[in-house]
């Protein structure tokens, strides 16, 4: 994926969230990282990612609490053409741990 935004959820003991921008050359720029302990381990949680195109405001909410706020106006589209919404499992996981996605809701407000 190039020319879009993506988010990392660190599943080590740190539990931070990172907002990043994928650049056209394939590299990535970190826009911001939450504090450690941003999400719970071993239980379901709700995550809401908000992006306001007109201002470049990007916010990540976990269980109704804002955990990360950054601003970036590089792209006019949240996902690049044809990129859609992509989810990948963590890079390092033991056989006794896994990540699951329950549902996705995408909506636009005026």
């Amino acid at each position: 994926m190039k020319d879009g935004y993506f988010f990392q959820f660190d599943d080590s003991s740190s539990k931070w969230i990172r907002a990043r921008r994928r650049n056209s050359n394939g590299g990535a720029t970190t826009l911001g990282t939450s504090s450690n302990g941003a999400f719970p381990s071993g239980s379901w949680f709700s995550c809401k990612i908000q992006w306001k195109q007109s201002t470049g405001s990007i916010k990540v909410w976990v269980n109704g609490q804002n955990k990360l706020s950054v601003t970036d106006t590089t792209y006019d589209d949240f996902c690049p053409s044809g990129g859609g919404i992509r989810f990948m499992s963590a890079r390092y996981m033991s056989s006794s741990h896994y990540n699951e996605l329950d549902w996705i809701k995408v909506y636009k407000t005026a």
Side-chain angles (χ1 to χ4, degrees):
M1 181 177 103
K2 296 181 182 178
D3 301 335
Y5 298 101
F6 69 101
F7 303 88
Q8 294 176 303
F9 289 77
D10 177 49
D11 63 352
S12 72
S13 60
S14 298
K15 305 286 183 271
W16 49 254
I17 302 168
R18 182 171 286 160
R20 303 190 82 192
R21 179 182 68 231
R22 180 70 66 188
N23 305 317
S24 59
N25 64 4
T29 300
T30 297
L31 303 173
T33 304
S34 73
S35 299
N36 289 347
F39 61 94
S41 176
S43 63
W44 287 106
F45 63 91
S46 294
C47 177
K48 179 169 72 171
I49 299 172
Q50 292 179 302
W51 175 64
K52 190 169 186 179
Q53 186 269 337
S54 61
T55 64
S57 173
I58 298 170
K59 294 181 180 183
V60 180
W61 301 79
V62 173
N63 292 334
Q65 295 182 353
N66 182 251
K67 299 295 183 173
L68 178 62
S69 295
V70 297
T71 301
D72 187 81
T73 57
T74 302
Y75 301 127
D76 289 335
D77 297 313
F78 190 75
C79 295
S81 177
I85 298 174
R86 306 170 95 189
F87 292 89
M88 292 177 261
S89 64
R91 183 173 176 188
Y92 300 107
M93 292 189 301
S94 70
S95 60
S96 63
H97 294 86
Y98 58 92
N99 295 329
E100 256 186 68
L101 179 67
D102 193 17
W103 52 271
I104 302 170
K105 179 179 180 182
V106 179
Y107 59 95
K108 178 182 177 181
T109 58

